[in-house]
Amino acid sequence: MDEHAFENLYCATFELLDRQWLLQKATYMEFSGVMAATRKVVEEALTDFNCKSAEELYDHLRTAC
């Protein structure tokens, strides 16, 4: 069991948020849209992605976009 699972998921999600922000060339006024796109990717990864370990989930989130 990964005792740092929550921290790793948080970091992968924050990195995804940053990539979404840069890809969309967002301004602070567009934060809610970037957050919604990030949330969608994370929710899909948690519900649809067939991963066998937490590390696979982190890798998937780190390469999403």
Side-chain angles (χ1 to χ4, degrees):
M1 181 171 201
D2 185 357
E3 61 187 54
H4 299 288
F6 181 78
E7 290 89 352
N8 292 336
L9 180 59
Y10 173 84
C11 290
T13 302
F14 196 85
E15 291 169 7
L16 174 62
L17 174 69
D18 185 53
R19 280 194 311 279
Q20 292 277 354
W21 185 271
L22 295 174
L23 284 172
Q24 294 182 32
K25 296 181 177 155
T27 65
Y28 72 95
M29 294 294 292
E30 299 161 316
F31 179 78
S32 62
V34 175
M35 189 64 163
T38 302
R39 181 180 297 123
K40 181 180 178 187
V41 171
V42 172
E43 287 175 354
E44 288 174 356
L46 290 171
T47 58
D48 299 336
F49 184 63
N50 187 16
C51 62
K52 294 179 175 47
S53 69
E55 191 60 39
E56 284 184 28
L57 176 62
Y58 309 143
D59 289 342
H60 178 72
L61 290 176
R62 287 184 180 119
T63 58
C65 280

